Every structure is written in C-alpha cells, then in structure tokens.
Amino acid sequence: MEFLLVVVVKIVIILAFISLGVAYLTYLERKVIGHMQVRLGPMRVGWHGLLQPIADGLKLVIKEDIIPTQSDKLMFILAPVICFLHAFLVYTFIPFDGPKGFWGYGGYISDVNVGLLFIVAIASVGVVGIILGGWASNSKYPLLGSLRSVAQLVSYEVAMGLAIMGPILLAGSLSMVDIVKAQEKMGVWFFVPQIVAFIIYFICGVAETNRAPFDLPEAESELVGGYHTEYSGFRFALYFLAEYANMITVSAIAATVFLGGWLMPFPSILGPYLSFIPGFVWFALKVFFFLFVYLWIRATFPRYRFDQLMAIGWKILLPLAIANLLVTSFIILYLKM
Amino acid sequence: MRMKELVSKVLFVDLIKGLSVTFKSMVSHAVTEQYPKERSKIYERFRGEPRMAVDENGKTKCIACNLCAMNCPVGCITVEAERDPETKKRVLTRYVFDMQRCLFCGFCEEICPVNCIQLTTDYEMSQYDRKDFVLELNELEKGMEKIKYKK
Amino acid sequence: MDEVKNINKTNFAEEFVDATEELVLNMGPQHPSTHGVLRVILKLHHEKVVDLDCDIGYLHRGVEKISETLSYKLAAPYMDRLDYISAVSNNLAYIETIEKLAGVEVPKKAQYIRVILTELARISSHLLWLATHALDIGAMTVFLYCFREREEILNIFEMVTGARLTTNAFRIGGLPQDVPEGFEKAVKDFCEILPGRISEYEALLTKNRIWLARTKNVGVISPEDAIAIGLTGPSLRGSGVKWDLRKAHPYESYNEFEFDIPTGENGDTYDRYLVRLEEMRQARRIILQAIDGIPEGDFTAKVPKVLKPPKGEVYHSIEAPKGELGFYVISDGSTKPYRVKIKGPSFYNLQALKKMCLGHYVADVVAIIGTLDIVLGEIDR
C-alpha cells in the first residue's frame, strides 16, 4: 500500500514539475532568443514577463475550438492527444535522481531493465500524432508538413538508436539507472569515450523534436505552420506542449546517458564541498544545459532543406553511428580478452 | 587546402563562429525600448499629428487662403470661408482635417504663408472610431483627444 | 464490389504510380514568405516544382493614373509608396524625371545630399532584404540584427526629412530644407559601425554550411537569360553582368565618386547575397566621399510655384536598390502630366521566378523569392 502511495505521489510531483517546466521552457526560449537578438523578450506580464506562459496557456484554453468542416473529425481530435500523451509518458522511466534520492524513495517512478529501449519506443509513437494531425486536417500545407515529419522521423530514429548503442555497450544494461551507475563506476561520463555517439545523438535529437535547424515539418516560412496549420486553441497547445516536452525528454536522455544523470561533476575535487546538493539539481542543470544549446542553435542557424536533411541522416550520421558502434564493440571485446 | 577545409568542417568551425556571435549578443545590452515606458527621441522635423496655431489672442492664425487644401495630394483638408463685408477679408468659418486620408507628406505645412498648420512631433494618434479622425478647427488647435493605454 | 474487382485486375504497383498526381499548392497571397501579397501557384511533384505561375495585383492602387490627376509636385509622395523600403530612391527617380522634363538645374549641394540619402536608402533596403531573406531560410537572428542597423538609417531619415519610411525627401529643384545640424555626425557614426555589423552577418551566414547548402546552386540564371528577361540591379550583377546605371549613365553627381560594381560568377542565390553585401560596403564608400565633399551653396534651385513643363516626353531611370527604376512622363504643357509610366525593377525581376524555380524544391521557391528582392508595392503599383 505504501509502495502505491509513494508511486502516486511521485507521479503527481513529476507530472506537475514537467508541466511547469514545459511552460517555462517556452518562456526561457523567448527570453534566451530575445536576448540573443538584442531585445528583451516578454516583459509585460509579471516581473520580467514571468507570468507570460500562464497568460499564454490561459489564452489558448479559452480560445474558440475550431475543427475544419472538411477534416476527419475523430482523428483531428485524437491526434494532438496522442502526441501529448506519449511525450509525457516517457518521464516514467527517466531517473531524476539516484535510488537513494528523493529522500530515500528513489528518484524515478520506475526502473525497468529495458528502460532506454522503452523510452525510444514510446517517443517514436508520438509522431503518429503528427502524421494523423496533418492527414486529418485535409489541407495541403499540413499534409506536406506531416509527410516531411514521417520521413524525418524514420531516417533519424535509426541513427539515434545506433548512437545510444555505444553507451549501452559500455554500461552493459538498458536500464537508465544502471547506465548512470556504470558511469559512476567508470569514473568518467560516457560523453568522453563516446564523443561521436554523443554528437550524433544530439543532432538526431534536434531533428527528432523538429527543432531548428531541422524544423522542416513546421517550417513557418515554407509551410506556414506545418502539420498544425489548421489547429488552434487548446489542441494547438497540446501540440505545442508535446514539442517542448519532447525537447526536455531528449535533453534528459542525453543528460542521463552521456552526462552521468544525477552525478556530481568531479566528485573527487568538488565532493567534500558540494555533497549537500541533491542529485536532481545536478540532473536539472544538465538538462538545462542541453535546452540552452537547443535554443542557442535555433537562434543562430538557418534551416536545412528537406533533401539535405535526408542526405545528412542517411549518408553521414547513419554510417558514422554504425562505425562508432563497431569500434566500441571491438574495443570492449579487446579489453575483455 | 582541402584537408584544412575538412578538418574545419568536422570541428564545426563555421557553426561555432556563428554561435559565438549570438552568444556575444546575448550578454550585451538590448537595443530595443520598452515602448509605453520608454520613448525614443523624436526629431524636430518629424511630421506627426497636425495642429493649427493661434495668435496671442487665442484666435486662429489661418487666413483661409486655401493653399493647404490645394497642395494636399489626397485632398484631406477642407477650408470654408466667407468674405467679411466690412474689411473685405476672407474669414475662416470651418476647417476640417481628415486624418484617415493624410499622407503626412508635409506639403501643407511647407506652403502655409502664416505658419498656421503645423505637423507636430506627436505620433500617438490611434482612435477607436473612424469619425474621431476627422478633426475640426477647435480639435486641431488644442490637439486630438487621446486614448491612453492603461495597464 | 466493382471496385474490388478492378483492384484485383490491375497491377497494384501500376495503380499506385498512376495515383500520384501533381499537387497544386497556392502559396500566398497570405503566406509568411511571399514578401507581401504575391500569390504563387505551384504545381508540385512530391516536393519538386514542375510548374509555377505568379498572380499579382492584390496591392494595385493605380498610382500611374492618380499621378495624372495631380500636379507634378503633388504626385511625389505617392512615389514613396511604390517601393516603400527605399522610398528615397523612388522619390529621387520621379523628381529627377520631372527636373529633366522641365529643365531644372539642381545645385551641387543638393545633389550631394541626395546622393547620401539615396545611398543610405540603398543600405537600408539591402539590410531589409538580408533580414527577410535570412528569415525565409530560417536564420531568425540576422533579421533583428539587420533591423537594428536599419533603425539607425531611419533615424537619419527622420532627422533630415521628417519621416522614417515614406520620407518625401526631395522637391523639384533640390531639397525642401537644408540638412539639420548633427546630420554629418550621424551619418559618419553610422558609417563607422556598419562594417563591423556586416562582418557580424557574415560570421552568421557566409561560411555557414547550412547557408551554403541552401543558397549555392539555387536559382541559377545565366547572364544571357538574365538580360533576356530584363533583370536589373543586384539580380543581374549576380550573374556576372557589370551593369550599373550609376556608372553607365551617371545621374546626380555619381561620376564624381569612386566606387566598384561587385559582380557574381555563378548567378546563384549565394552570389546575389555576396553582391548585395558588397554593395552595402560600396554605398558606404560613396557616402563617406560625399559627406566630406558637400559643397557650399543653395539647397534648392529657383523653381516656379506652378510648374508647367514644356510639351514633350522624357524617360529617366536611376539605379534603385532593386534595379533600374524608370519613369516615363509625357507633358502636354499643362500643370498635370499627361501620362506617367513607371518601370519598376521588382516587376521585371519577378519574371525570372519561373525560370529559377523549375526543378527546385518548395523550400527553394521561398529562398528564390527572397533573393529576387521583390516588393509588391512596386509590382502592383
């Protein structure tokens, strides 16, 4: 009984935390990109615009709900929900803190021995929502946008999966907690031995979440709004939240698999002074770093063209990921012998 | 040469150069201004809201010569006048300025022989109603009634 | 049941191939990157453009006809609104045509100040072009950086002419009034910061692999085609044709200044980008020469209050930021022109769109519309 209660409390806390995080990620994005563009970003709602995400959310919820007459209504309604649901489902398996974290209750909802595989699998279901949304809108721009996203997902999922294979080989486990523990044991975070995989993973992650410079499914200068052109009000908000939740997911996986999750950097030097900081703070900091890079990239780079995106995925990233996998396995094999 | 290019491509030199520019801008000061609170400097010659000048007795300076109306490309000025039977001078009876049509070209201001009509540096001219843009002489003399933004 | 039978009969793969048909996509008139109200009807095969048609006229105001009903002087503010991004250049072209028609000699001082202002307008127009072009391709930060510099130019315009966008800067015979105090300093300050800012844009774009991938070999047009279509301005010079009216038929005092005409080699989007960036630097060079050499004298010539040019017709054109902007004016000896015909560069440059776009992707159409630097206010007039 106590076990169930703990899980429920954890779910509530994490869900609330992630929802808030997603909302404030939009604020962060507007602020960071604003400052990079020598302006200030939101400043009017609350102190330095701090209440802006709440105002935005309220606005989207009260807006009129428009369902185009020519659309496939059931799918049109279902699609954003699918997208949203899977974006949030992933957090079940992400360790925010170590097994001793969260005051001894364990810093994760559940630790499955196929955790990482599960996360990747669920995350890729989300794209069904995008496809359905684009298709059900029965409009040309969303159709093109959703077709692009299918192609993008298929080509980048492969390279991404192969890239995470490197750390998995090093850790010898698919469990997220074990991967972090392996990094603790090894004394060095996996992004050092797996730098190639790390870069490939991050590029694929950006592409997976449809962010600049790979934001083709929703390239506003070409396809107006991409797959969500016909969406408005809270259905649009669901898509929007899903996109940002996916960003956090990708960052969280990167932080866990490559940057040692809840571990403290340089424990031998900083250990005595900073040991009072709980693990989830370190984890949040690492996630924040990735999110910042996301926004930084968005503010700086132009957008790739569709065929170029495909070429990068299949001709550069995929062979590199395979090569990285092979080299890693050979080295591990050699060391074992 | 090709080797060098390849190395710089693998090390993302071109991209890092761009990233450094945006990062530098992020830590520098913003150049925008928070509009209703801060206002930028308006230069003296700015052609904004029209005003009609009055003389020291509070009477209009306008001599109803109609030059402004004739020199308006869009015809947004209407001057009505009648001849005073005693002094044989034209006296202004009605002056209408339709701001919806105004181009703010400044021809009226330039041509006015008595410097009566002037385009001021006021630039906040929004109204809720179209008829509020049609200004009569008294409105032109004391300025348009403004709707202020309240937070 | 019949349908089921039919499917069984035909080869399924064949059916599938037949089922793919061209997708007609309406881009615009309300689309984020058609730079106004241009409507492009695209025929797509997958995402490749197989046919393209432009539909214009959504912004038609009848400027040519309106100017027939107004006196020569009063039509000038309308010309600002053709290519509203470089209002000063339009105004100059119109005013010069009328001066040529009426035989007015403009004092040297006014000419120099006109050169400074039009070159500033060229920089401002190119900045706005770069901003929107980069935004179309996805580089959103360049957009605001360019606007930051453009703001400085608009401030100078406001200081001199009294308006930021539709400046109505010149009058027949010269300037409406002398330049204010602080003008020289403001222009020089701007020229000081400009090269650093341009190198900032270059750091973000010129060598960037994504920018190169998106602009190299996109929208290529050969010099022969460019001339045949009637491209002018940077779009023509990007193809390697060294044609600039400032050198070919110097107007104002352009023959007194030293400057180069940058040209491209391949005639692709990237070359046109480089040409425009270099033009900004050259414009700065001209401004610096002009500001140091402003002669003493009147700012306007004596012009009769009611202008009645002699009977006749005249064509005059200048090198506007977007290309050759010409005015053809017929006078019947009265106070109003008999006919005003405007030859705007954007309209001619748009004709190259089809040639440049065929066989490219939808995303390239956006880039090509951007590189042609069209303004719908001038296309539709």
Side-chain angles (χ1 to χ4, degrees):
Chain A
M1 197 58 212
E2 199 207 323
F3 167 76
L4 206 66
L5 189 75
V6 167
V7 168
V8 168
V9 168
K10 267 196 236 170
I11 288 174
V12 170
I13 289 173
I14 286 175
L15 202 63
F17 190 72
I18 293 298
S19 309
L20 208 68
V22 167
Y24 274 88
L25 180 56
T26 63
Y27 173 76
L28 182 77
E29 170 164 41
R30 293 171 70 175
K31 271 289 183 199
V32 166
I33 293 183
H35 279 275
M36 282 182 175
Q37 296 173 343
V38 288
R39 56 196 176 88
L40 290 173
M43 288 292 279
R44 301 304 302 272
V45 192
W47 185 76
H48 277 245
L50 264 175
L51 299 176
Q52 187 73 44
I54 293 158
D56 284 348
L58 264 178
K59 185 205 88 175
L60 283 172
V61 170
I62 2 179
K63 263 182 102 168
E64 186 190 354
D65 177 31
I66 299 168
I67 299 177
T69 40
Q70 295 294 309
S71 64
D72 184 336
K73 294 203 177 50
L74 180 68
M75 288 304 153
F76 191 83
I77 293 166
L78 216 59
V81 180
I82 295 175
C83 217
F84 178 79
L85 203 68
H86 288 94
F88 275 75
L89 206 58
V90 175
Y91 292 102
T92 326
F93 308 105
I94 287 174
F96 296 83
D97 205 339
K100 292 193 199 74
F102 279 8
W103 300 276
Y105 290 110
Y108 39 82
I109 295 174
S110 84
D111 176 29
V112 192
N113 58 1
V114 288
L116 195 51
L117 192 65
F118 214 98
I119 290 174
V120 175
I122 287 181
S124 53
V125 176
V127 84
V128 174
I130 294 180
I131 301 166
L132 282 182
W135 186 259
S137 299
N138 200 4
S139 167
K140 284 168 186 171
Y141 284 111
L143 178 68
L144 278 176
S146 63
L147 289 181
R148 279 181 178 190
S149 77
V150 183
Q152 190 166 326
L153 185 100
V154 168
S155 40
Y156 277 80
E157 194 89 309
V158 183
M160 187 175 180
L162 285 171
I164 346 180
M165 285 302 280
I168 292 173
L169 282 179
L170 286 182
S173 168
L174 277 167
S175 151
M176 296 290 268
V177 178
D178 287 352
I179 290 174
V180 179
K181 278 182 181 160
Q183 296 182 54
E184 195 173 16
K185 215 167 87 190
M186 204 169 156
V188 58
W189 296 345
F190 282 162
F191 83 93
V192 180
Q194 288 291 323
I195 182 75
V196 180
F198 177 61
I199 291 168
I200 293 172
Y201 172 80
F202 193 70
I203 294 174
C204 292
V206 175
E208 278 268 305
T209 44
N210 302 333
R211 296 289 299 179
F214 306 110
D215 54 346
L216 297 164
E218 43 185 311
E220 86 238 2
S221 60
E222 299 152 24
L223 298 183
V224 193
Y227 57 86
H228 56 58
T229 307
E230 303 287 345
Y231 280 90
S232 65
F234 81 97
R235 292 187 212 290
F236 170 73
L238 288 184
Y239 269 131
F240 201 68
L241 290 178
E243 185 188 327
Y244 283 85
N246 279 332
M247 273 170 75
I248 300 183
T249 312
V250 168
S251 307
I253 298 173
T256 314
V257 175
F258 292 100
L259 283 191
W262 65 81
L263 299 178
M264 182 197 309
F266 310 112
S268 51
I269 309 164
L270 297 175
Y273 310 105
L274 295 175
S275 55
F276 63 90
I277 296 176
F280 60 84
V281 174
W282 290 118
F283 179 77
L285 277 177
K286 285 166 191 172
V287 172
F288 176 81
F289 167 74
F290 280 110
L291 291 174
F292 177 75
V293 175
Y294 255 115
L295 306 178
W296 193 6
I297 287 174
R298 173 156 187 229
T300 313
F301 297 142
R303 182 183 301 121
Y304 268 116
R305 203 172 60 207
F306 185 61
D307 58 319
Q308 292 160 349
L309 175 95
M310 287 296 155
I312 293 167
W314 290 108
K315 290 183 188 161
I316 300 173
L317 295 182
L318 187 64
L320 264 180
I322 293 174
N324 178 61
L325 185 62
L326 284 177
V327 170
T328 313
S329 7
F330 275 123
I331 290 173
I332 290 174
L333 209 63
Y334 177 78
L335 290 178
K336 283 234 173 97
M337 285 202 299
Chain B
M1 192 59 207
R2 272 198 67 81
M3 197 59 208
K4 208 175 151 192
E5 269 171 32
L6 193 75
V7 168
S8 76
K9 204 163 181 184
V10 170
L11 294 177
F12 301 106
V13 172
D14 53 333
L15 302 183
I16 289 166
K17 225 169 108 188
L19 287 173
S20 71
V21 171
T22 38
F23 193 80
K24 255 184 254 158
S25 313
M26 190 178 77
V27 290
S28 73
H29 277 287
V31 292
T32 48
E33 55 209 27
Q34 298 297 303
Y35 162 57
K37 276 188 223 151
E38 302 164 27
R39 276 143 209 273
S40 52
K41 189 190 160 201
I42 301 295
Y43 290 93
E44 206 184 319
R45 290 185 179 180
F46 186 78
R47 302 193 294 261
E49 193 198 322
R51 284 283 179 86
M52 298 281 277
V54 287
D55 60 9
E56 55 270 25
N57 302 325
K59 278 196 163 172
T60 183
K61 274 175 148 184
C62 182
I63 52 169
C65 64
N66 208 24
L67 271 175
C68 48
M70 274 158 55
N71 264 281
C72 182
V74 288
C76 68
I77 302 173
T78 318
V79 182
E80 283 172 22
E82 57 188 26
R83 206 166 281 281
D84 194 326
E86 282 168 29
T87 54
K88 299 274 187 260
K89 267 187 183 168
R90 275 163 68 84
V91 178
L92 188 72
T93 52
R94 189 159 178 243
Y95 192 98
V96 186
F97 194 104
D98 187 355
M99 294 246 300
Q100 288 173 91
R101 309 200 56 168
C102 183
L103 288 173
F104 300 98
C105 63
F107 279 152
C108 49
E109 187 186 21
E110 253 168 59
I111 205 85
C112 186
V114 289
N115 276 340
C116 179
I117 185 151
Q118 288 159 10
L119 295 178
T120 59
T121 53
D122 251 335
Y123 53 89
E124 288 160 319
M125 293 174 277
S126 44
Q127 296 286 1
Y128 281 112
D129 202 325
R130 279 178 163 241
K131 67 174 190 296
D132 293 338
F133 284 109
V134 184
L135 303 179
E136 295 281 341
L137 183 63
N138 59 338
E139 285 170 296
L140 283 165
E141 275 170 0
K142 61 177 200 295
M144 241 168 135
E145 241 174 77
K146 301 262 166 56
I147 295 154
K148 283 274 178 251
Y149 168 76
K150 285 186 219 81
K151 199 183 174 185
Chain C
M1 274 308 279
D2 285 351
E3 282 171 27
V4 175
K5 268 183 206 159
N6 282 340
I7 287 174
N8 286 341
K9 255 188 247 163
T10 49
N11 183 350
F12 188 74
E14 218 168 75
E15 181 96 328
F16 187 71
V17 171
D18 284 345
T20 62
E21 54 182 65
E22 283 159 6
L23 178 75
V24 179
L25 189 69
N26 270 306
M27 212 173 181
Q30 284 143 341
H31 187 280
S33 49
T34 52
H35 293 224
V37 285
L38 174 67
R39 176 173 166 220
V40 186
I41 304 159
L42 294 168
K43 260 193 199 145
L44 301 179
H45 186 256
H46 303 292
E47 275 209 34
K48 271 204 170 134
V49 180
V50 287
D51 198 9
L52 174 154
D53 202 6
C54 288
D55 190 6
I56 60 169
Y58 290 92
L59 205 62
H60 181 71
R61 292 144 297 163
V63 174
E64 292 179 2
K65 190 72 195 167
I66 289 172
S67 36
E68 286 170 25
T69 66
L70 293 168
S71 73
Y72 287 98
K73 178 189 162 194
L74 296 191
Y78 278 100
M79 303 310 166
D80 281 2
R81 286 150 175 87
L82 290 175
D83 173 4
Y84 38 80
I85 289 158
S86 57
V88 179
S89 298
N90 297 295
N91 204 294
L92 181 76
Y94 177 74
I95 295 276
E96 274 190 359
T97 313
I98 306 303
E99 281 164 358
K100 208 167 166 183
L101 187 68
V104 179
E105 192 66 37
V106 182
K108 260 276 165 305
K109 181 176 183 184
Q111 288 193 7
Y112 268 62
I113 290 161
R114 281 179 173 189
V115 165
I116 294 168
L117 289 180
T118 38
E119 289 305 314
L120 280 174
R122 187 183 312 280
I123 297 176
S124 126
S125 167
H126 282 353
L127 281 173
L128 196 117
W129 159 80
L130 180 62
T132 50
H133 184 43
L135 187 68
D136 286 346
I137 296 183
M140 56 198 290
T141 301
V142 180
F143 180 78
L144 281 125
Y145 289 176
C146 289
F147 266 67
R148 175 182 62 188
E149 274 72 76
R150 185 168 172 262
E151 199 67 13
E152 307 277 331
I153 299 180
L154 295 187
N155 276 339
I156 296 175
F157 283 164
E158 188 190 328
M159 177 200 261
V160 181
T161 68
R164 298 167 72 81
L165 197 68
T166 48
T167 48
N168 196 14
F170 310 128
R171 302 287 184 273
I172 298 163
L175 307 167
Q177 45 195 338
D178 204 354
V179 287
E181 233 172 273
F183 169 70
E184 258 178 58
K185 188 179 172 298
V187 172
K188 276 185 177 159
D189 284 354
F190 174 71
C191 288
E192 190 90 352
I193 59 164
L194 186 68
R197 297 290 164 82
I198 293 178
S199 58
E200 226 169 64
Y201 318 142
E202 291 224 69
L204 281 168
L205 299 175
T206 306
K207 290 258 166 58
N208 189 306
R209 65 186 71 184
I210 306 174
W211 182 260
L212 287 170
R214 284 302 301 276
T215 54
K216 279 234 166 190
N217 296 321
V218 170
V220 181
I221 193 149
S222 66
E224 295 79 30
D225 283 343
I227 292 170
I229 290 170
L231 290 187
T232 47
S235 310
L236 176 68
R237 292 193 281 274
S239 299
V241 183
K242 211 167 181 168
W243 175 257
D244 190 319
L245 283 171
R246 289 175 296 175
K247 284 266 197 224
H249 300 293
Y251 51 94
E252 294 301 334
S253 306
Y254 274 110
N255 47 2
E256 291 166 24
F257 305 117
E258 261 178 47
F259 61 98
D260 304 325
I261 306 170
T263 50
E265 282 164 16
N266 309 320
D268 57 6
T269 304
Y270 186 67
D271 277 8
R272 286 186 284 271
Y273 156 76
L274 290 182
V275 163
R276 286 199 176 93
L277 279 188
E278 186 55 33
E279 265 184 30
M280 282 200 253
R281 296 202 186 90
Q282 294 300 330
R284 174 181 169 269
R285 229 173 112 192
I286 298 173
I287 293 168
L288 281 177
Q289 288 171 47
I291 199 96
D292 285 332
I294 296 181
E296 293 294 312
D298 280 341
F299 58 83
T300 180
K302 276 254 176 288
V303 182
K305 273 254 162 73
V306 180
L307 191 68
K308 274 190 185 171
K311 255 189 191 178
E313 52 186 62
V314 70
Y315 176 78
H316 180 72
S317 58
I318 68 158
E319 185 72 26
K322 294 174 175 64
E324 178 185 341
L325 172 65
F327 281 85
Y328 175 60
V329 181
I330 305 178
S331 160
D332 56 1
S334 70
T335 55
K336 293 170 183 170
Y338 177 75
R339 173 85 170 99
V340 176
K341 165 85 181 93
I342 303 160
K343 183 214 171 290
S346 298
F347 181 76
Y348 289 80
N349 288 353
L350 185 64
Q351 310 310 316
L353 185 65
K354 187 169 177 180
K355 188 137 208 145
M356 286 176 171
C357 283
L358 288 189
H360 281 304
Y361 289 87
V362 183
D364 291 328
V365 175
V366 168
I368 292 168
I369 292 174
T371 189
L372 285 174
D373 195 10
I374 50 167
V375 167
L376 270 292
E378 186 197 88
I379 290 172
D380 294 342
R381 297 199 270 281

